[in-house]
Amino acid sequence: MAEDLTILHTENKADQYRSLIPQIEALLYGETDLVANMANMVAALKEQFKWFWVGFYLVKDNELVLGPFQGPVACTRIGPGKGVCGASWQQKQTLIVPDVEAFPGHIACSSLSRSEIVVPLFSDGEVVAVLDVDSELLDQFDDTDKQNLEQLVKLLRF
Ligand code: SME
């Protein structure tokens, strides 16, 4: 029974992405401004999934600097390799953290955050920003989020 519920939950999330992605594509269509497009993307994601925090950090002068986000106020600057965001930047890959307390060096912008996914954005093979999503619940992110969020951030042009 528990397994069935898990499967239902996963299908439901995939369905949500399936309907959301074309809406975000339409929202961004014809607009080239990066900040405007990031702002609408995080607003659409927050609205759909009701996550605790959704936002971008942009690489500036070898630091991650807070960009458009939805949710409570957050840390403005993150150094290379620091926290989940800095680790994703350094490793050039998506990181899924089921329990932030078990991630060494996790930066707690809010003590309410329990699980997290960070997706890097690339330009010419270099990480230029990361998308960070936090949930108040443990173990909220999986490969469905990874695939879909990686697809979504490719809509942004640097
Ligand atoms: N938890 C992140 C910091 C950013 S906030 O969660 C918005 C990290 O460890 O990199």
Side-chain angles (χ1 to χ4, degrees):
M1 186 61 185
E3 275 172 17
D4 289 343
L5 284 174
T6 307
I7 290 165
L8 275 176
H9 177 71
T10 305
E11 283 178 351
N12 182 265
K13 184 155 65 174
D15 284 347
Q16 285 179 281
Y17 279 114
R18 248 190 300 279
S19 69
L20 182 65
I21 289 179
Q23 294 176 50
I24 294 181
E25 282 170 347
L27 204 57
L28 271 52
Y29 182 78
E31 178 53 68
T32 56
D33 188 87
L34 180 64
V35 169
N37 286 336
M38 285 180 155
N40 265 339
M41 190 177 285
V42 293
L45 286 167
K46 179 86 161 80
E47 186 72 15
Q48 178 69 44
F49 293 104
K50 312 291 181 202
W51 287 318
F52 177 66
W53 197 91
V54 189
F56 288 98
Y57 283 89
L58 291 102
V59 176
K60 293 181 184 174
D61 296 331
N62 206 35
E63 266 186 323
L64 289 171
V65 182
L66 185 63
F69 73 96
Q70 294 266 321
V73 295
C75 330
T76 51
R77 289 172 188 271
I78 297 173
K82 302 290 182 194
V84 187
C85 292
S88 168
W89 172 24
Q90 202 164 52
Q91 294 171 29
K92 296 186 169 187
Q93 61 179 1
T94 297
L95 295 181
I96 293 173
V97 180
D99 177 357
V100 296
E101 284 176 21
F103 187 95
H106 166 257
I107 300 166
C109 293
S110 166
S111 59
L112 293 176
S113 174
R114 307 293 300 280
S115 60
E116 182 163 356
I117 182 170
V118 179
V119 179
L121 284 69
F122 296 92
S123 178
D124 295 330
E126 291 304 314
V127 176
V128 286
V130 299
L131 172 66
D132 180 17
V133 183
D134 290 27
S135 170
E136 287 168 289
L137 304 173
L138 286 169
D139 200 12
Q140 288 301 292
F141 303 104
D142 56 21
D143 203 52
T144 299
D145 300 290
K146 177 180 185 293
Q147 303 293 334
N148 285 283
L149 294 175
E150 285 178 354
Q151 185 185 333
L152 258 180
V153 298
K154 285 190 187 134
L155 296 173
L156 297 166
R157 294 272 162 263
F158 283 79

